[in-house]
Amino acid sequence: MAPQILVLISGSGSNLQALIDAQKQGVLKGEIAHVISSNDKAYGLTRAAEASIPFQSHCLKNYYKGTTKDQVEERRVLREKFNEDLAHKIIGIHPDLVVCAGWMLILSPGILTPLEQAGIPIINLHPALPGAFDGTHAIERTWNAGQEGTITKGGVMIHRVIAEVDRGAPVLVKEIELSPHKSLEEYETKVHEVEHVAIVEGTNKVLESI
Ligand SMILES: Nc1nc2c(c(=O)[nH]1)N[C@@H](CN(C=O)c1ccc(C(=O)N[C@@H](CCC(=O)O)C(=O)O)cc1)CN2
Ligand SMILES: NCC(=O)N[C@@H]1O[C@H](COP(=O)([O-])[O-])[C@@H](O)[C@H]1O
């Protein structure tokens, strides 16, 4: 059996689609076994269904039901249960690799530790260079820094997932010169093009090492 890949998404799933297309073309060194979305309205779930890939959603909002934003401690506990339940789901599927492809939630030690103990590596796609713009809105933050003249390059990386967000060891880094691009929209289009290549190359690189 080919190495089994579980893909975590939260949105459109264009990077999931790049993995699906690579599998269809026979260039993915594994098989997408399952897709889990943190958003039950994510178009990526439609992409999984159309590719006949088993899928499900795992939504934090369902855990938060009956609580308000002011109930910080209650929500902290509920979010930890969200993470632990997600770990149980993933371990039950037991993929060889988990790929975060636009998964927009920070994974706590409550999931990272059980997956590490189960020998299941996790990688993430991030639209910035190592140590540059961790977290969300990295594409826009990169563009703005370029406009201010503080940087000349942006990029995309695939990295190992550790507790410290976007600080795991890089697996693959692709730099993108900012100067050729005349707008944020143009740069963002280039980033997504590069992402769709990087997600396949980075996934294959890790699968080759397993
Ligand atoms: N422990 C880790 N978890 C995650 C990592 C990681 O490296 N370590 N990578 C992220 C993906 N990601 C950037 O590449 C990222 C996604 C989301 C966030 C974030 O701050 N999320 C907030 C919610 C934001 C929102 O709803 O708009 C949150 O989780 O509370 C940071 C980085 C995947 N997880
Ligand atoms: N910090 C994580 C992050 O910003 N991830 C970004 O989410 C998008 C998902 O697109 P997709 O749903 O079309 O694959 C991608 O641009 C990816 O870099």
Side-chain angles (χ1 to χ4, degrees), residues 44-67:
L45 292 173
T46 301
R47 296 180 194 267
E50 289 176 349
S52 303
I53 297 169
F55 63 89
Q56 62 183 287
S57 58
H58 186 73
C59 302
L60 187 55
K61 67 179 181 182
N62 294 338
Y63 287 76
Y64 283 175
K65 274 180 182 167
T67 67

Side-chain angles (χ1 to χ4, degrees), residues 19-91:
L19 292 169
I20 291 169
D21 295 344
Q23 182 177 329
K24 286 178 181 172
Q25 294 154 14
V27 298
L28 187 67
K29 298 182 187 294
E31 177 184 29
I32 305 167
H34 209 99
V35 173
I36 298 178
S37 176
S38 65
N39 170 6
D40 56 8
K41 300 287 190 296
Y43 184 67
L45 292 173
T46 301
R47 296 180 194 267
E50 289 176 349
S52 303
I53 297 169
F55 63 89
Q56 62 183 287
S57 58
H58 186 73
C59 302
L60 187 55
K61 67 179 181 182
N62 294 338
Y63 287 76
Y64 283 175
K65 274 180 182 167
T67 67
T68 66
K69 285 183 179 177
D70 296 334
Q71 293 176 279
V72 175
E73 178 55 19
E74 289 86 345
R75 286 195 167 188
R76 186 194 65 76
V77 173
L78 291 168
R79 181 154 182 172
E80 202 48 30
K81 181 73 165 61
F82 167 88
N83 276 289
E84 290 166 3
D85 289 349
L86 180 57
H88 291 144
K89 283 184 177 179
I90 294 173
I91 290 169

Side-chain angles (χ1 to χ4, degrees), residues 50 63 88 97 99 117 160 165 169-170 183 187:
E50 289 176 349
Y63 287 76
H88 291 144
L97 175 64
V99 180
Q117 289 171 343
R160 299 278 178 172
V165 174
S183 67
Y187 172 65

Side-chain angles (χ1 to χ4, degrees), residues 66-200:
T67 67
T68 66
K69 285 183 179 177
D70 296 334
Q71 293 176 279
V72 175
E73 178 55 19
E74 289 86 345
R75 286 195 167 188
R76 186 194 65 76
V77 173
L78 291 168
R79 181 154 182 172
E80 202 48 30
K81 181 73 165 61
F82 167 88
N83 276 289
E84 290 166 3
D85 289 349
L86 180 57
H88 291 144
K89 283 184 177 179
I90 294 173
I91 290 169
I93 295 162
H94 212 289
D96 297 291
L97 175 64
V98 174
V99 180
C100 295
W103 174 264
M104 297 307 288
L105 292 175
I106 295 170
L107 298 168
S108 77
I111 180 170
L112 298 177
T113 301
L115 291 190
E116 184 178 14
Q117 289 171 343
I120 302 173
I122 313 175
I123 59 174
N124 177 59
L125 165 69
H126 185 57
L129 296 176
F133 298 99
D134 300 339
T136 56
H137 309 297
I139 296 172
E140 184 177 2
R141 290 157 63 199
T142 299
W143 176 256
N144 291 339
Q147 293 299 294
E148 292 160 8
T150 52
I151 60 172
T152 60
K153 288 184 288 192
V156 169
M157 68 169 168
I158 304 292
H159 64 89
R160 299 278 178 172
V161 170
I162 62 174
E164 193 180 4
V165 174
D166 296 331
R167 289 301 171 116
V171 168
L172 181 75
V173 179
K174 290 185 178 287
E175 295 185 347
I176 303 170
E177 289 293 337
L178 293 171
S179 59
H181 307 290
K182 300 294 176 275
S183 67
L184 168 59
E185 292 69 27
E186 195 182 306
Y187 172 65
E188 183 159 8
T189 299
K190 177 65 176 178
V191 169
H192 293 319
E193 287 172 11
V194 173
E195 286 180 329
H196 298 159
V197 174
I199 192 84
V200 175

